[in-house]
Amino acid sequence: MKIYDFSYDYSKLIDPPESNSEKIWRQYFAQLNDIFKRNESVFINQRTSAFDDKKIKQVNRKYKKLLNEEHILLLKAEEKYFRLFKKAYRDHRQIRNDKIQKLLPYLDRIDYFTLGMMGSYTSSLIVMEQSVIILEKKFRSDYQMIDQIAKSDLINRLLNLDLGYWSKEYVSRYAMVCDGETWNLKFTFIRGKRCKELNFYGDNCFPHNFDEFESLFSHNK
């Protein structure tokens, strides 16, 4: 495995500009977006390179703190932008998160698949009117029901995850791992006759708060 020296640069979290030019403000938001993307790439590289639980928790905790700092900085900038130009600015991640959260009441099922050295594992959450049935399929076995939870509990957990801030792919360009774990996560929403899917994929790397979701179905894994 080759690991690159790739770390966060907190000095790049610059304060909003002292300007009344909307063009300068737009450039500032574009610069922030580039910084946020770079920080996400740093996290993916560090998370891919982390193997023991202690290191993984440390990497997740550090990135969660950085995300909070980014969020506070962005909110301050958006408030100042609104005062100056009397119109709102929304970051693309905020827009995406709002859209996903509005879709959650129409959630029909969730399918999660992992493949590693020990074989494959599949879990499906089937959403009923008031409850959610959790199924699992281990390597060389049939599906079996392992739990049942309230639909409201699942929706609340998903709301707290802020899925709009997740990357579609968690694949590092800088850390190569030969023996790891790949995974796919698919959300299916049905609204009337329309069906929409939301997909995430990773290779030995997961979102920083993924364990809060995975705990739903991994207790027998």
Side-chain angles (χ1 to χ4, degrees):
M1 182 179 71
K2 186 175 183 180
I3 301 177
Y4 291 75
D5 181 16
F6 204 44
S7 57
Y8 301 118
D9 187 351
Y10 291 91
S11 65
K12 291 187 178 297
L13 289 178
I14 54 178
D15 292 326
E18 296 294 335
S19 173
N20 294 327
S21 168
E22 187 172 2
K23 181 179 179 181
I24 290 178
W25 271 89
R26 289 286 176 172
Q27 291 173 346
Y28 170 76
F29 284 124
Q31 187 178 3
L32 276 188
N33 185 56
D34 290 340
I35 294 170
F36 296 164
K37 284 183 178 179
R38 181 186 183 278
N39 286 340
E40 184 178 59
S41 296
V42 172
F43 164 73
I44 291 174
N45 180 61
Q46 292 185 354
R47 178 60 180 81
T48 303
S49 307
F51 291 97
D52 62 273
D53 290 340
K54 183 179 180 180
K55 181 63 176 177
I56 289 172
K57 289 179 180 179
Q58 181 183 10
V59 170
N60 287 343
R61 186 166 54 248
K62 188 175 181 180
Y63 185 57
K64 186 175 182 179
K65 180 181 178 181
L66 179 59
L67 278 177
N68 186 57
E69 292 177 8
E70 290 179 353
H71 184 65
I72 292 173
L73 180 64
L74 182 60
L75 285 179
K76 288 181 178 178
E78 288 174 343
E79 289 174 3
K80 191 172 181 179
Y81 180 87
F82 182 78
R83 290 198 303 268
L84 285 171
F85 306 108
K86 309 304 178 186
K87 56 183 178 180
Y89 176 88
R90 298 285 285 170
D91 177 79
H92 73 95
R93 294 186 303 179
Q94 294 171 317
I95 295 172
R96 182 169 179 254
N97 194 56
D98 288 345
K99 288 181 178 179
I100 292 174
Q101 293 200 346
K102 288 178 182 178
L103 277 174
L104 290 179
Y106 306 100
L107 182 64
D108 181 68
R109 65 181 291 155
I110 303 172
D111 295 289
Y112 174 55
F113 173 79
T114 66
L115 178 64
M117 292 183 63
M118 303 304 293
S120 61
Y121 172 84
T122 304
S123 181
S124 296
L125 282 71
I126 311 299
V127 181
M128 313 294 282
E129 187 172 344
Q130 299 294 333
S131 62
V132 178
I133 296 174
I134 303 177
L135 308 173
E136 76 167 11
K137 182 181 183 301
K138 296 183 180 180
F139 185 57
R140 293 179 179 175
S141 67
D142 295 325
Y143 273 103
Q144 52 183 310
M145 179 177 170
I146 61 171
D147 204 355
Q148 185 171 350
I149 61 174
K151 180 180 178 180
S152 58
D153 183 29
L154 174 63
I155 299 301
N156 286 334
R157 290 202 193 194
L158 295 178
L159 286 170
N160 291 331
L161 286 177
D162 286 328
L163 296 172
Y165 290 85
W166 284 14
S167 175
K168 292 182 179 180
E169 289 191 354
Y170 285 85
V171 180
S172 175
R173 296 170 52 197
Y174 303 94
M176 304 300 294
V177 179
C178 297
D179 299 323
E181 179 183 24
T182 60
W183 59 276
N184 288 278
L185 179 62
K186 180 173 72 173
F187 295 82
T188 303
F189 305 92
I190 295 181
R191 186 175 184 179
K193 296 183 179 180
R194 301 183 65 180
C195 178
K196 183 177 179 62
E197 292 183 355
L198 177 65
N199 293 278
F200 299 96
Y201 166 80
D203 185 359
N204 208 54
C205 180
F206 295 83
H208 71 284
N209 57 355
F210 189 80
D211 56 339
E212 299 172 23
F213 171 73
E214 191 179 31
S215 62
L216 280 168
F217 48 79
S218 63
H219 50 280
N220 287 336
K221 185 176 175 182

